[in-house]
Amino acid sequence: MLSVVAAGCGASDVEVPVPRPPASIVSLCRAFHDRLPQRLHGLKRRSTSPRSDLVTAWGSPAIVVRCGVTRPVGLHKTSELAVINGINWLPVPPDRPVTFTAVGRHAYVEVTVPPKYTPPGDVLNELTTAIKATVPANSDATL
């Protein structure tokens, strides 16, 4: 699970580890980043540290999106997924999720939604258009 650290309060940068996917995934993630809204769930975008086209954050506490993360450890063929607007999401932990990973696509997209923002499905729904437009589904039905 992602650990997000605010370097202070308010407008400071959100410290987020940057994924290191292969170049083919980086290009998908850059296109995804370019499609992300300036406001998510009514919250303004925040700067991240280090700066990267693979990481975006909004609000305080920060909702964080990372594109190109590695396959989630808990993802199995029998994993219980949440389907929101046609996107399959792996919630972690399953009973009170804070981190959701879009699966079954050419790049894994991880979204950390602090408990303050409920229901988290609203946040995920706002991201589906950008995911569908830039990160194609796997044609071979793999997770």
Side-chain angles (χ1 to χ4, degrees), residues 59-75:
S60 181
I63 295 171
V64 175
V65 174
R66 298 188 323 140
C67 184
V69 297
T70 58
R71 179 187 172 96
V73 175
L75 180 60

Side-chain angles (χ1 to χ4, degrees), residues 89-106:
W89 297 93
L90 176 69
V92 175
D95 57 342
R96 300 190 78 196
V98 175
T99 301
F100 298 82
T101 306
V103 300
R105 310 202 74 80
H106 285 287

